[in-house]
Structure formats: C-alpha cells, structure tokens
Amino acid sequence: MQPAPRLLFVADVGGPATYHVGDEAMLLANLDGFRERLTGLEATIVSRDPAWTARHTEAKSVLPFGFPEAGRASDDDRQSMLDRLLADAEQGRVCSEAMQAIADCDGVVISGGGNLSSTWPEHVFERVAFGALARRLGKPVVLLGQTIGPDVSPRIRPLVSDLLRNATFVGVRELPSAALARALGTPADRLFYQTDDAVFLNPVRVEEEWAAELTGGAPWIAITLDPFGQGRAVEGVLAALADQLARLAAFTGARLAFIPHVAGCDAGVGRALAARLPSATPLFVCPDLDARRAYWLTAQASLIVGTRYHPLVFGLAAARPCVGLVTDEYRRTKLHGALAHADLSGCCLSMEQAVGGGLFEAASQQWARREVIGQELVLTRERWRIAEQNRWHRVIAALGVEAVEGMPDAAAAALGRDPSELVPLLLSELESRGAFAAELSRFEAARYGELERYAVSLEAERGALHEATRESERFAVSLLEEVDRLRATCDESERYAMSLREELERLRASCAESECYAMSLREELERLRASCAESECYALSLLQELSKVQTAYEAQLRRNPAA
C-alpha cells in the first residue's frame, strides 16, 4: 500500500481581513480536485494566517517566507533574501516552517492566480523561492491556472523564466499567457491552456434571509467592481455606470445587487455606486461572502457585470451571460481570456466604451439572448469538463504521486487543446488587443487634451496662489512688527510690575515697623495707665489724710478758741 501523498499548496490566501474570493476559490477547487483523485491526501497550505486557513480547509498550514511587497523594499532586497534562503538550503539549514514543509512534501502545487507579474514582485519572489528550493530537494513543481504578465520587467523576467522552465506542468488561462510562457522557455509539452481553476468549485448555498429574498423573486443582475482609481475621473465613471445600470434595470425589470470579492475593499465601491443610482433603482450591497457562497450566489443571477475576473468565471460556469469591463491591459488579458473560453470575448469592454453607452448596449443584448447563451454555455461547460479531466491526468502525472493510466499523449494536441479550437481564439485575442490599443490611444489623446486644459487652469491657479502668497507675506511682516511692539510693551509692563512689587515689599516692611512701634506705644500706654491708677490711689489717700487733719484741726479750734 502506497503512503498517503503529501502536497504543499502555494496560494495568495490569508485570513478574513484580506479575504479575496478569487484566490480562495482557486485554492479550494484545487484542494477538492486533488482530494477526489488522491486517497488520503495530506495537504499543507502556505497562508498569511495559517491558523484561520487550517481551520477552514481542514489542512495543515504554514506562513510564507514573507518577501516584502512593492513599495516596502527594492528588488535588490528581495533578491538578497532569496539568495540567503538558497544558501541556507545549500548548507542543509532549515530556517522556517515553509522550508520544512518543502522538505516534507512529495510535490509543490502553485495554485492559480494572476500574480506572476512585475506588479506584485513579492508574489513572484515567493513562488520562485518555493520552486527553487523544491527543485534542489528533488521535488516536482506544478503551476495551475496562471495569468503570466503581461508586464514582466527585465529584473523579474529571468526569475519567472527559471520557475516556468523547471516546472513539470504549467497551466495558463489565456493564450497571451501561453505565448509569454513559451517565450520565457516553458517546454511546449508541459504547457496546458485551461479554464480557471475555480470553474468547477463545489458551491455552498447562502442560507441567510436576505439571500432568500434576493434569489427567490424577480430576476436580478450581479455587479462587482473593484476600486479602479481615484479622483474626479472615477466620480464621472461611477456616475456614467450608475446611469446605464439604472437604464438597464428599467429595460429588464431586474433588480441590482453588488457582490464584493475583496474584504474591506469592494463594498465601499458598491456603496458609492448605490449613492449615485436614483431612488427608484436601489442597489443591494451584499455582505462579504466566502468563495463557495459567492460562487453559489453569482450562479443565481440572470446577468453578471464587473471589472473583477472571478464573477465572470462563476457566471460562465453557471451558464449565465456576462459583461466584463477593463481599465488596463492586465485586466483586458484576464477578462477577455475568461470570456474567450466561452466564445463571448465580444462582451469585454474597455471602460471608455462602457461609460460611452457601451455597457447598456452590451448588457441589454446579452439579456435579450440570455436563454440562447445559457444553452450554449451548458454545452461549453461539458467541453470544459472533458478538458478538465485531461488536465487532471497531466497534473497528477507531472507530480508523480500516483500512476495514471490512459493519460493522453502530450504531443497529441498543442496546449492540451485541438488546434482547430485555438485558431478562432487567437484571432479573437488579436482583434481584442488591437481594438483595446486603438481605444487606449483615443483615450490617451482625449486625456492629453484634458490634461492640457487642466495645466492651463493650474497655471492660472498658480498665479493666484503666488499673489495670495505675497499678500500673506506682507501680512506676516505686519504681524511680526505688531508682535515686536507687543513684546516691547510687555517688557515695559514687566519692569513696571517689578517696581510695583519692590514698592510693595518696602510698604510691607514699613507696615511691619509701624506695627512694632504701635505695639510699643500700646505697652507704654498700659504702663502710663497703671501709673495713673497708682497716682490716683495715692492722691485719694492724701485727700483722706488731709480730711482727717482738717477734721482734727477744726475739733481743736472748737475746744480751744484762743488757740
């Protein structure tokens, strides 16, 4: 009996604070797929929040190596960190849980995503590190459902090339990604053109009362927008989108609901959009949902509109018409690629087309054809399912964790697809890229004119500010002079107060002396009063004695008149 296979999954996932429905959906779908095919699978997931991820996936989880993101470090810093990791591995030093997880696994699975791009150097270095360390330990590496580029700088290019050239399987979601992968050295027999990893994710019903109310009545349209910019331009875009969505709701009789896909990010855009819709067209902003519930809820809508990738994936998988809105070449590559798998690439609009009236036109056409589109997508989904079985055979064989019988010949079809399927897709991609480039040129020309006008207004504003600054300087000078006068007055006041305090001290001393003199006078007065009392007593005694003498004399005269 073979031991249980052990796989290490690298994905851009974390806890609820940074929850991203698309990244979590791809990881969960890959876990589902491997668990269905590999009995007793022991999975370990790289996550920014290992405890949360382990609890919600019933798998082990470890922290990533932690390459600093763009803006917090340079590519030189990230390269130095990568070199240290490789040097530690060369010396047999295991310096982190992630490195130990590589040593313990049978293979490394890099889950789907669109982060092999210069925009996210931290993700590139992270995946390159896992790939290089796995290769040094003799462990196979497979990449599933990737968008590669389109921006791959000269500094990042050799790193991505090294990862792709040494992988045993590389799944790409778009033909431009396939072309870039080949240009970077990916062997043709290891390259597979696939739908997104999350197409066949197992959904979970949303049981809350608000969901029952939303999905149990009239048809509704699901909307997901990312924060695609800032400033006055975005205000105008949101206002234009709100106007067309209100028209669409009136035209279709459908309600509108906003499904956020990134925690703490998308819901704010939903509220801003709701504030710009008329009161007769309310927009319900759904709470944040996990990937399986977001998949289920999206599948209940009648039409999906958005700038994010996975709402379209979920909608197409549920046989629902979709309209994608793109603001740059990266988003165009992804959303056009998702719609191309369903032969609906014409429903990918630039934002300039959308705000110019194209959103209502495209969405209303999709609405009118939704039953036909749904029937076609049901058949398309069956083709996807067959291609998906083929892909899983190749993935498991590439990992070498279990013998696969009846695996199709790798050389039988380019990119794992019949060449007849690829030609119209290539033509569609070329047409879309050319149209987007032309639209972008017109937009840039219009933006240049707007910028010129804005520059003129800024120059006028600068002159007014210059004059205001000069006036402020003159006022500041007068204030400083006034301050100097006040300081002089304060100094004089302080000197006068000091003289008053000195005079007060002299008066206090004089009062003390006066009090002492008065006390001595009171004491002298008391003595005089006592002396006077004694004198009065003596005088009284003299008077009494004189009275006695007088009386005796008068008595003697009476006895002897002759005397």
Side-chain angles (χ1 to χ4, degrees):
M1 181 177 179
Q2 292 184 344
R6 298 165 300 175
L7 296 180
L8 176 62
F9 292 81
V10 181
D12 184 16
V13 296
T18 59
Y19 195 91
H20 191 300
V21 166
D23 291 313
E24 298 280 350
M26 292 182 287
L27 172 65
L28 291 173
N30 287 327
L31 280 173
D32 290 347
F34 278 109
R35 283 169 170 164
E36 289 172 9
R37 292 164 177 84
L38 301 178
T39 303
L41 172 68
E42 293 183 8
T44 301
I45 300 168
V46 178
S47 167
R48 294 182 298 275
D49 189 342
W52 188 92
T53 296
R55 194 164 57 249
H56 286 80
T57 59
E58 298 181 355
K60 298 177 184 177
S61 185
V62 297
L63 285 168
F65 293 115
F67 286 88
E69 63 187 32
R72 294 188 176 181
S74 66
D75 282 339
D76 289 338
D77 297 328
R78 285 181 279 270
Q79 184 66 53
S80 296
M81 182 175 171
L82 176 61
D83 293 340
R84 289 194 299 271
L85 286 171
L86 298 178
D88 287 337
E90 197 70 35
Q91 297 298 319
R93 293 191 293 268
V94 178
C95 302
S96 67
E97 288 184 339
M99 193 176 290
Q100 185 63 56
I102 297 172
D104 292 342
C105 75
D106 297 315
V108 174
V109 178
I110 297 180
S111 192
N115 42 40
L116 289 179
S117 165
S118 300
T119 308
W120 295 282
E122 67 276 17
H123 295 309
V124 173
F125 276 90
E126 197 76 42
R127 282 147 183 74
V128 167
F130 276 100
L133 291 169
R135 185 168 71 251
R136 293 192 179 207
L137 294 172
K139 309 297 176 71
V141 178
V142 299
L143 288 85
L144 309 181
Q146 299 293 315
T147 295
I148 302 173
D151 180 19
V152 182
S153 68
R155 182 62 182 273
I156 295 296
R157 193 177 184 89
L159 296 173
V160 177
S161 174
D162 182 71
L163 175 63
L164 297 176
R165 284 186 296 104
N166 291 284
T168 56
F169 177 93
V170 177
V172 292
R173 304 183 293 194
E174 309 89 15
L175 290 176
S177 294
L180 184 52
R182 287 290 291 128
L184 292 172
T186 307
D189 61 346
R190 300 179 190 175
L191 192 59
F192 195 96
Y193 175 53
Q194 63 165 91
T195 54
D196 183 73
D197 292 352
V199 163
F200 294 101
L201 176 67
N202 296 320
V204 171
R205 182 185 186 90
V206 182
E207 299 291 351
E208 284 83 350
E209 183 176 345
W210 63 263
E213 182 178 349
L214 176 63
T215 61
W220 59 283
I221 298 170
I223 303 163
T224 301
L225 302 176
D226 68 290
F228 47 83
Q230 295 179 345
R232 289 180 296 178
V234 173
E235 292 291 322
V237 169
L238 280 177
L241 294 180
D243 177 68
Q244 292 184 70
L245 288 170
R247 290 174 57 201
L248 183 62
F251 174 77
T252 61
R255 294 168 297 163
L256 304 179
F258 190 97
I259 305 178
H261 267 233
V262 178
C265 182
D266 292 357
V269 183
R271 290 189 291 271
L273 181 63
R276 288 160 178 77
L277 283 162
S279 58
T281 311
L283 172 67
F284 176 70
V285 180
C286 302
D288 290 337
L289 299 169
D290 63 42
R292 297 188 192 277
R293 289 171 174 79
Y295 187 114
W296 179 87
L297 184 63
T298 304
Q300 312 311 307
S302 300
L303 174 68
I304 291 86
V305 176
T307 60
R308 287 205 181 274
Y309 178 79
H310 276 94
L312 305 190
V313 171
F314 298 165
L316 294 172
R320 300 292 189 268
C322 300
V323 177
L325 312 178
V326 301
T327 55
D328 53 36
E329 179 60 18
Y330 172 71
R331 288 178 174 83
R332 190 206 68 80
T333 298
K334 293 205 315 178
L335 272 65
H336 180 272
L339 292 163
H341 282 289
D343 297 327
L344 292 173
S345 54
C347 299
C348 184
L349 309 177
S350 71
M351 191 61 78
E352 290 70 38
Q353 291 174 315
V355 300
L359 171 58
F360 174 77
E361 181 180 352
S364 58
Q365 290 175 359
Q366 292 293 294
W367 181 270
R369 298 186 63 248
R370 65 188 185 280
E371 291 186 5
V372 174
I373 292 172
Q375 294 168 1
E376 293 173 347
L377 285 174
V378 168
L379 298 176
T380 299
R381 181 183 168 94
E382 289 307 307
R383 294 200 304 272
W384 292 349
R385 192 180 298 280
I386 294 170
E388 184 75 352
Q389 292 171 353
N390 182 17
R391 182 179 77 103
W392 275 110
H393 278 300
R394 292 176 181 241
V395 169
I396 292 175
L399 285 168
V401 292
E402 185 175 281
V404 178
E405 297 181 0
M407 186 183 72
D409 183 3
L415 303 178
R417 302 285 283 272
D418 189 313
S420 63
E421 295 182 44
L422 298 180
V423 172
L425 294 175
L426 284 169
L427 292 175
S428 172
E429 168 62 27
L430 291 173
E431 181 181 354
S432 170
R433 183 174 292 188
F436 184 75
E439 188 67 32
L440 186 62
S441 296
R442 289 192 294 273
F443 174 69
E444 291 296 337
R447 182 192 293 181
Y448 182 75
E450 183 179 344
L451 287 175
E452 281 189 327
R453 291 189 294 273
Y454 186 53
V456 171
S457 68
L458 284 179
E459 183 62 27
E461 184 70 18
R462 189 188 68 82
L465 287 173
H466 180 66
E467 180 59 33
T469 300
R470 292 178 59 188
E471 181 64 28
S472 297
E473 288 176 349
R474 290 191 291 270
F475 181 63
V477 169
S478 67
L479 284 179
L480 290 173
E481 292 173 350
E482 182 65 22
V483 167
D484 289 338
R485 286 193 295 272
L486 289 173
R487 283 175 177 167
T489 301
C490 288
D491 291 342
E492 181 65 28
S493 298
E494 286 181 354
R495 288 192 293 271
Y496 179 64
M498 181 64 71
S499 67
L500 288 177
R501 283 195 292 270
E502 292 172 352
E503 182 64 23
L504 179 61
E505 290 301 322
R506 287 194 295 272
L507 289 173
R508 284 174 176 167
S510 176
C511 286
E513 292 176 359
S514 298
E515 286 179 354
C516 290
Y517 180 64
M519 182 64 73
S520 65
L521 288 177
R522 281 195 294 270
E523 292 173 350
E524 182 65 25
L525 179 60
E526 291 299 323
R527 286 194 297 272
L528 288 174
R529 283 175 176 169
S531 176
C532 287
E534 291 176 357
S535 298
E536 285 179 354
C537 290
Y538 180 65
L540 184 58
S541 65
L542 288 177
L543 287 174
Q544 291 174 347
E545 186 64 31
L546 179 60
S547 178
K548 291 176 182 178
V549 171
Q550 182 67 30
T551 302
Y553 177 71
E554 288 177 353
Q556 185 178 1
L557 285 178
R558 283 191 298 268
R559 286 191 303 268
N560 187 7

